[in-house]
């Protein structure tokens, strides 16, 4: 046991739920998200004494994105058959918000890995362009172009807003 183990445990206790949310947004599956987070933490733990002094959450998040990308490259992504999509929900539907969130999660999961990572970090984690670039190890221009492409794809994939107003690009 390391003297820094208590710090690691405190970090995992404090930041674990947020990191699990990021993992879920990347994978779209609760079990895979738990596996991704656990695998990431297992890889980070031996380096904790070196990491803890800096920005440990950013380091863990970046490691998680990279590990997910390596998992994604190895996974078969064939076509998945599905039936006809249901009609749009009525505006008074109490489950419309849940349906919209599910549609958003499905649409985000359909993005290429790099675009998905940018969307998750920029819009779900609310990181700046610079922080996202640092987390992904790329330039700010890459973050901007990837987020532009991702948002364009999401506009095509997502249903029109339920409440008034039109979508403007």
């Amino acid at each position: 046991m390391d003297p820094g183990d208590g710090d690691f445990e405190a970090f995992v206790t404090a930041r674990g739920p947020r990191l699990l949310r990021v993992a879920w947004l990347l994978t779209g599956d609760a079990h895979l998200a738990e596996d991704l987070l656990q695998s990431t933490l297992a890889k980070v733990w031996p380096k904790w004494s070196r990491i803890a002094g800096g920005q440990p959450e950013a380091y863990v998040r970046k490691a998680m994105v990279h590990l997910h990308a390596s998992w994604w490259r190895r996974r078969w992504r064939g076509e998945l058959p599905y039936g006809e999509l249901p009609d749009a929900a009525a505006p008074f539907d109490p489950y419309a918000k849940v349906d919209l969130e599910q549609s958003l999660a499905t649409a985000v999961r359909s993005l290429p890995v790099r675009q998905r990572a940018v969307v998750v970090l920029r819009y779900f984690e609310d990181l700046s362009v610079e922080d996202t670039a640092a987390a992904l190890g790329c330039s700010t221009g890459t973050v901007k172009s990837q987020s532009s492409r991702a948002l364009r794809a999401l506009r095509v994939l997502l249903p029109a807003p339920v409440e008034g107003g039109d979508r403007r690009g």
Side-chain angles (χ1 to χ4, degrees), residues 5 12 16 19-20 66 72 87 98 112 138 143 150 164:
D5 286 349
V12 172
L19 291 169
L20 183 60
H66 287 288
W72 189 84
D87 293 340
V98 173
C138 64
V143 170

Side-chain angles (χ1 to χ4, degrees), residues 139-161:
S139 70
T140 56
T142 299
V143 170
K144 291 175 184 178
S145 67
Q146 291 295 310
S147 75
S148 174
R149 289 180 186 132
L151 293 176
R152 190 176 321 120
L154 289 174
R155 284 186 190 105
V156 171
L157 293 169
L158 290 173

Side-chain angles (χ1 to χ4, degrees), residues 1 14 21 23 32-33 39 43 46 49 54 67 73 76 79 81 88 95 98 103 119 123 127 130 134 143 145 151 156:
M1 282 268 201
R21 185 181 76 162
L32 284 175
S39 296
K43 288 182 180 238
S49 60
L67 183 59
R73 281 190 291 267
W76 178 77
E79 293 182 23
Y95 301 106
V98 173
S103 296
V119 167
Y123 302 106
L127 295 182
E130 294 78 16
V143 170
S145 67
L151 293 176
V156 171

Side-chain angles (χ1 to χ4, degrees), residues 40-126:
T40 303
L41 292 173
K43 288 182 180 238
V44 166
W45 180 74
K47 305 171 190 168
W48 187 252
S49 60
R50 183 172 47 95
I51 298 166
Q55 295 180 324
E57 186 174 355
Y59 186 95
V60 171
R61 192 182 306 116
K62 183 175 182 177
M64 192 181 327
V65 168
H66 287 288
L67 183 59
H68 174 258
S70 73
W71 285 6
W72 189 84
R73 281 190 291 267
R74 284 185 263 149
R75 196 178 110 213
W76 178 77
R77 290 169 304 283
E79 293 182 23
L80 298 174
Y82 57 90
E84 289 187 33
L85 296 175
D87 293 340
F92 60 88
D93 183 0
Y95 301 106
K97 183 178 178 190
V98 173
D99 291 342
L100 182 61
E101 289 172 357
Q102 191 64 38
S103 296
L104 177 60
T106 301
V108 168
R109 282 193 307 273
S110 73
L111 295 173
V113 174
R114 191 71 150 182
Q115 290 178 14
R116 184 184 326 166
V118 167
V119 167
V120 168
L121 296 176
R122 282 280 293 130
Y123 302 106
F124 289 97
E125 283 296 298
D126 202 26

